[in-house]
Amino acid sequence: MELKALLSNLLNYTLNKDENPNIETIEMDSRKPQKNSLFVCIEGFTMDGHDFARQAAENGAAAILAEKEVDSAGLPVIMVNDTRRALAILSDVFYEHPTQSMHLIGITGTNGKTTTSHLIEKILSDASIPAGLIGTIDMKIKGKSYKVANTTPESLFLQKAFHQMKEEGVKTAVMEVSSHALDQGRVRGCDFNIAVFTNLTQDHLDYHRNMEEYLYAKSLLFSQMGNVYKNDEVKAAVLNNDDPASSAFKRVTSSQVLTYGIDTASDMMAKDIEITSRGTVFTLIAPNHENVKVTLNLIGKFSVYNALAAASACFLSGVPLKQIVKSLEAVTGVPGRFETVDAGQDFTVIVDYSHTPDSLENVLRTIKEFAKGKVTAIVGCGGDRDKTKRPIMAGIAVQLADEAVFTSDNPRSEDPMSILKDMEEGVDADARYVTIPDRKEAIEYAVSKASKDDILLIAGKGHETYQIIGSDVLTFDDREVAKEAIGGIKK
Ligand SMILES: CC(=O)N[C@H]1[C@@H](OP(=O)(O)OP(=O)(O)OC[C@H]2O[C@@H](n3ccc(=O)[nH]c3=O)[C@H](O)[C@@H]2O)O[C@H](CO)[C@@H](O)[C@@H]1O[C@H](C)C(=O)N[C@@H](C)C(=O)N[C@H](CCC(=O)O)C(=O)O
Ligand SMILES: Nc1ncnc2c1ncn2[C@@H]1O[C@H](COP(=O)(O)OP(=O)(O)OP(=O)(O)O)[C@@H](O)[C@H]1O
Ligand SMILES: N[C@H](CCC[C@H](N)C(=O)O)C(=O)O
Ligand SMILES: [Mg+2]
């Protein structure tokens, strides 16, 4: 595509040379091959892409897009006010506006995005609507998995991914939309049909200054939905009526609203909920007042919320209610979400991605509802992340479990002992907990102390197959470590 054609949708820019090179790719990382690329300089949180313009030029870039002066080694420079915003606009143009002709479902909220997106993907594909998926665990196109660096990737990656989906014949996509992505404008240019809200509780207060700003970031998904109709399909915000944040989203969206809930009268509701150790049973009441009994293999009240959110999005996507229920009932689990580890032991081991106060509390309360033996919670908190959740999570673990084992999650650049100290601030010195900084040793300890019918919750890392200590990314999988530890005690 010629540079000037690529820039045609940008309102205000200056081009310092009357040149019009052919642009074959857009890049935002100077370390990637740049042959005939437009290199977009992004001022990041740790580096400034403007410092790498020369490197990009030396690697074959054909033009540079910047918001401040750069050393472009003589290449044409396009100057804009905001390169991140321009990147979203240009990526959408370059990849031929892929989401305008797609059915796009976005999910935001503190907890439940990955689970809900997997439920939606399952319902849609069972209904012969092949759906692409983008989220924390991976990106999936026609069943093939691709690695993603972020839960919600940068606009360039996203538009390219949607373009690839379309090339492969996938016209429906479901994606998690993180608050970081909304704040950084990664989803600008995405034309959502349906935007789903799960819930809002404390997280990411390292990034957002307070809960109001966190809520504001989340609200951007609903205020960015644009027109009320897209390709004759109605656009809709799917909101959790039991969560007070929904009232703010109702105000900012121009779309129609479909609510779901358990405790508050809503369009899609769950009634007569029974929670057992094997799953959840409830009656689903649809907006058209149709009633269906649902027997989920997923555990806990929070799983009912995720099922309601998924059912609402799929109902609006045209899947008949009975078919939705059949698919929900067939889901056995999502990797690392309340995943049980069975190595033939007589106690239960659950690996779960609870890394926020609310998710830890939900999961522990759910476990307590059916626990026959002692409940042990192995809990850590990530480094370089919201410090204020550390004492709260430790307090929840000590309050709800019979014994807590405090250990390391992903310490990243922080000293593991100082993270553990922050956690210990949340508990009394005489509380029932032990601190074992090495995660493998912590799991081995809990496994060695477990008796028949006890339950061990290994929280925080879920599907992760690594542990980040300093800048090292080491192989580590809670499920494998637990299996080995169980094997060890059986010998
Ligand atoms: C805090 C944050 O959001 N950081 C994101 C940000 O990184 P950054 O600002 O540090 O980037 P940077 O390293 O300073 O680089 C700036 C620019 O210089 C470029 N560069 C850099 C070095 C070089 O040699 N050459 C070069 O061109 C980079 O390619 C980039 O364009 O932009 C990057 C590219 O889009 C993201 O991958 C990165 O996410 C990091 C990995 C991250 O940890 N993000 C977390 C906080 C996050 O976004 N999490 C949410 C999920 C949260 C949840 O759901 O719970 C998510 O959506 O993943
Ligand atoms: N609807 C929910 N409400 C509260 N907690 C939930 C809910 N759904 C899942 N959880 C808990 O939160 C954990 C993370 O769930 P999930 O991965 O689906 O959320 P997420 O929003 O994608 O998280 P992340 O922001 O880290 O990607 C689960 O392991 C479970 O403990
Ligand atoms: N999306 C979350 C994941 C946290 C997972 C936990 N294991 C940690 O490393 O803190 C984050 O980046 O904050
Ligand atoms: Mg997720």
Side-chain angles (χ1 to χ4, degrees):
M1 181 183 273
E2 288 182 345
L3 177 65
K4 286 184 182 166
L6 178 61
L7 300 175
S8 59
N9 274 15
L10 278 189
L11 280 187
N12 43 5
Y13 68 88
T14 57
L15 177 58
N16 66 348
K17 288 183 177 191
D18 192 20
E19 289 181 18
N20 194 16
N22 192 40
I23 300 297
E24 288 172 15
T25 64
I26 303 177
E27 300 295 345
M28 57 181 288
D29 188 339
S30 62
R31 292 160 291 194
K32 291 205 172 147
Q34 301 286 334
K35 193 166 178 302
N36 297 329
S37 72
L38 171 68
F39 178 69
V40 179
C41 307
I42 302 281
E43 188 173 338
F45 291 86
T46 44
M47 306 274 202
D48 188 347
H50 294 81
D51 296 337
F52 302 102
R54 190 176 186 94
Q55 187 186 13
E58 284 163 3
N59 288 347
I64 307 286
L65 186 104
E67 60 187 33
K68 58 189 178 198
E69 279 213 2
V70 284
D71 174 1
S72 72
L75 289 183
V77 178
I78 304 104
M79 201 63 87
V80 295
N81 293 329
D82 178 347
T83 48
R84 261 189 209 278
R85 188 176 287 275
L87 177 63
I89 294 165
L90 296 185
S91 303
D92 181 46
V93 170
F94 190 76
Y95 290 107
E96 298 164 333
H97 314 290
T99 59
Q100 286 182 11
S101 53
M102 284 181 102
H103 183 76
L104 182 60
I105 304 172
I107 306 170
T108 201
T110 307
N111 293 308
K113 299 183 295 297
T114 299
T115 309
T116 304
S117 61
H118 278 75
L119 298 181
I120 293 175
E121 193 216 17
K122 164 81 178 145
I123 297 167
L124 294 177
S125 52
D126 284 356
S128 304
I129 307 171
L133 174 81
I134 300 176
T136 310
I137 300 182
D138 59 0
M139 167 167 94
K140 269 208 187 90
I141 304 179
K142 282 196 157 173
K144 189 168 172 208
S145 169
Y146 301 81
K147 259 190 150 177
V148 283
N150 286 98
T151 286
T152 312
E154 189 50 71
S155 59
L156 175 62
F157 181 103
L158 274 177
Q159 299 302 333
K160 189 175 177 183
F162 293 133
H163 179 76
Q164 186 185 341
M165 286 181 194
K166 285 197 68 184
E167 296 258 287
E168 296 192 22
V170 174
K171 292 210 174 88
T172 300
V174 51
M175 66 180 291
E176 294 180 50
V177 188
S178 66
S179 59
H180 300 82
L182 287 158
D183 184 62
Q184 292 169 28
R186 296 181 201 156
V187 290
R188 284 181 192 144
C190 294
D191 193 355
F192 291 100
N193 289 72
I194 299 174
V196 181
F197 168 60
T198 59
N199 47 65
L200 188 84
T201 57
Q202 182 187 332
D203 200 10
H204 306 309
L205 294 184
D206 53 322
Y207 184 92
H208 305 287
R209 271 186 302 186
N210 49 47
M211 285 303 285
E212 286 71 39
E213 292 198 3
Y214 182 31
L215 181 143
Y216 179 77
K218 293 276 178 211
S219 79
L220 293 173
L221 180 64
F222 304 96
S223 57
Q224 273 174 30
M225 286 183 73
N227 291 335
V228 178
Y229 288 92
K230 174 173 152 191
N231 305 333
D232 292 334
E233 276 184 68
V234 70
K235 287 198 170 197
V238 171
L239 302 177
N240 177 353
N241 235 5
D242 291 343
D243 191 305
S246 287
S247 63
F249 306 149
K250 283 177 195 167
R251 280 205 305 279
V252 299
T253 187
S254 58
S255 304
Q256 295 199 56
V257 172
L258 187 129
T259 57
Y260 68 90
I262 296 173
D263 304 325
T264 317
S266 305
D267 301 315
M268 185 77 85
M269 292 203 73
K271 286 268 177 239
D272 307 325
I273 300 172
E274 283 169 48
I275 292 167
T276 71
S277 61
R278 276 173 298 122
T280 321
V281 181
F282 62 95
T283 304
L284 180 67
I285 307 165
N288 57 5
H289 306 296
E290 210 181 326
N291 276 248
V292 190
K293 189 173 172 208
V294 185
T295 305
L296 281 187
N297 293 307
L298 308 174
I299 293 161
K301 189 176 175 187
F302 61 91
S303 298
V304 178
Y305 278 109
N306 295 337
L308 283 172
S312 304
C314 293
F315 183 77
L316 288 167
S317 303
V319 184
L321 196 69
K322 288 219 164 62
Q323 213 169 321
I324 291 175
V325 170
K326 203 169 161 213
S327 296
L328 284 175
E329 292 189 329
V331 175
T332 48
V334 175
R337 275 68 183 162
F338 221 94
E339 183 176 340
T340 49
V341 174
D342 189 357
Q345 78 280 15
D346 60 3
F347 54 92
T348 302
V349 176
I350 298 167
V351 169
D352 186 72
Y353 200 47
S354 27
H355 55 79
T356 66
D358 183 58
S359 57
L360 186 63
E361 180 170 347
N362 282 324
V363 166
L364 278 171
R365 285 198 190 283
T366 301
I367 290 174
K368 298 252 308 189
E369 280 189 45
F370 57 80
K372 290 198 213 110
K374 183 164 63 77
V375 176
T376 302
I378 303 170
V379 181
C381 293
D384 304 333
R385 294 289 185 269
D386 188 349
K387 288 191 171 145
T388 62
K389 68 182 178 180
R390 295 174 186 169
I392 307 173
M393 286 175 66
I396 291 168
V398 161
Q399 188 205 335
L400 295 178
D402 299 301
E403 184 177 1
V405 181
F406 296 159
T407 189
S408 300
D409 189 294
N410 290 312
R412 300 192 177 85
S413 73
E414 287 192 63
D415 172 10
M417 293 313 293
S418 103
I419 299 174
L420 287 161
K421 200 164 155 278
D422 289 344
M423 290 177 69
E424 285 169 351
E425 306 259 301
V427 299
D428 295 333
D430 59 354
R432 268 163 314 184
Y433 76 93
V434 288
T435 298
I436 305 177
D438 183 283
R439 193 167 179 95
K440 183 164 180 271
E441 283 174 20
I443 294 172
E444 285 168 350
Y445 164 82
V447 164
S448 72
K449 289 197 59 186
S451 311
K452 187 169 181 302
D453 292 336
D454 285 355
I455 302 185
L456 303 191
L457 169 69
I458 308 176
K461 289 175 57 59
H463 64 282
E464 292 176 358
T465 51
Y466 55 83
Q467 187 178 24
I468 310 172
I469 302 179
S471 51
D472 295 332
V473 182
L474 309 168
T475 299
F476 198 101
D477 184 328
D478 283 346
R479 298 159 295 192
E480 295 305 321
V481 173
K483 269 187 205 156
E484 277 166 28
I486 295 163
I489 53 162
K490 282 214 223 130
K491 275 181 201 155

